[in-house]
Amino acid sequence: MWLSLLPWGFVLLGLLPLWLFPRQESIYPGMVFLVAALILASAASLYARAPLGPQVRLFWVLGLGVMSSVVAVAASRDLAQVPEDMAVMAAVASLLGACMFLLGLFFLLRREVPGLPTPRQMGFHHHDGVMPYAALQALAPSLESLSAVRPVTLLLLHTRSDQPGAELLQYLRQPDMVFQLKPGQFLIALQGSDLEGAQIVFRRIRQNLVIRAYGVLPLQGMSLQQALVQLQGELEHFYLTQH
């Protein structure tokens, strides 16, 4: 609760000169800056309730809160006869707010790994835990972001055309995801597994299911679409060398 109220305290702090110095005759553009400060404070207050890690929430609320205070000082400067020294202090505070926001971004990317949204949250209904290709396209940005901070390895399997995808789930861990690209072709996104871990998963699957061909590739450093093209090329190369 206190975190959501903090930005409004910053706005009041920036508007304090209105009570300390004589008013200006003109209210433009001061009122525009005042509205902007209120919008920034509202955004910061909403960030306090966002589904983020505690450190990211704290620094983003502080960053936006300080920026709302800076804009409020700009409003006070145009609405009252504020000394120039106060404008200099506001400029320094704007740098502090930007640093706070960047620090929150640092924790988001390096310390607090963002979780993937569930298919239900994105409006997809999956059958027995296996998701369609449309869900893979929707989750592509999240998978690519996740691969920047945690290993994400893609395992493309070509099985028999009537292979139920649900049978693959029993050989995977809870965060791993299975997508059916077409009948008999499945893409498994292994979260937190490198190439060695993916080979272990593949051996476990091959011991129990018929696998005609497979490809494995880390997602890091490329887009999901590029990874799919490379994996499909590996399957085609396998079939060409077999015939």
Side-chain angles (χ1 to χ4, degrees):
M1 178 63 71
W2 69 269
L3 193 59
S4 62
L5 296 176
L6 187 62
W8 300 106
F10 279 117
V11 171
L12 291 177
L13 184 64
L15 295 177
L16 188 61
L18 291 178
W19 285 270
L20 300 178
F21 302 100
R23 302 288 180 85
Q24 299 272 21
E25 293 183 0
S26 174
I27 63 171
Y28 180 83
M31 290 302 296
V32 178
F33 282 115
L34 178 58
V35 172
L38 295 176
I39 293 174
L40 275 174
S42 300
S45 184
L46 289 175
Y47 265 114
R49 299 176 175 84
L52 301 167
Q55 292 174 313
V56 176
R57 265 202 313 269
L58 174 63
F59 285 113
W60 279 6
V61 170
L62 286 175
L64 285 175
V66 171
M67 294 301 294
S68 67
S69 180
V70 171
V71 179
V73 170
S76 298
R77 180 195 58 197
D78 292 331
L79 295 173
Q81 299 175 15
V82 179
E84 288 297 326
D85 293 344
M86 192 162 293
V88 174
M89 292 175 58
V92 175
S94 66
L95 293 176
L96 178 62
C99 291
M100 289 284 186
F101 204 83
L102 287 175
L103 193 57
L105 186 62
F106 169 80
F107 281 109
L108 178 64
L109 295 179
R110 295 299 176 187
R111 302 287 180 86
E112 299 177 1
V113 179
L116 292 178
T118 64
R120 187 177 300 276
Q121 290 174 334
M122 304 188 68
F124 291 100
H125 299 282
H126 56 83
H127 178 67
D128 295 333
V130 179
M131 290 169 284
Y133 179 67
L136 176 63
Q137 291 179 308
L139 284 169
S142 299
L143 283 169
E144 292 165 3
S145 298
L146 184 64
S147 68
V149 293
R150 174 185 293 176
V152 175
T153 304
L154 302 178
L155 180 60
L156 182 62
L157 301 178
H158 186 196
T159 66
R160 66 179 197 272
S161 58
D162 60 343
Q163 172 66 52
E167 293 185 7
L168 295 169
L169 297 173
Q170 58 185 313
Y171 309 113
L172 304 176
R173 301 169 306 166
Q174 183 64 33
D176 299 332
M177 311 176 82
V178 180
F179 304 89
Q180 184 168 12
L181 306 185
K182 57 185 179 181
Q185 193 171 96
F186 301 93
L187 181 73
I188 301 175
L190 302 169
Q191 300 183 43
S193 296
D194 54 12
L195 285 175
E196 184 178 353
Q199 292 289 349
I200 295 174
V201 172
F202 173 71
R203 286 197 294 268
R204 189 162 59 237
I205 294 175
R206 187 174 58 180
Q207 289 173 356
N208 297 276
L209 301 177
V210 177
I211 305 298
R212 295 176 178 174
Y214 83 102
V216 60
L217 184 69
L219 181 58
Q220 187 175 15
M222 66 178 70
S223 68
L224 183 64
Q225 190 59 41
Q226 291 173 326
L228 283 177
V229 170
Q230 187 168 334
L231 286 170
Q232 293 285 1
E234 290 185 14
L235 292 190
E236 293 177 5
H237 177 74
F238 173 80
Y239 284 116
L240 286 175
T241 56
Q242 296 298 311
H243 299 286

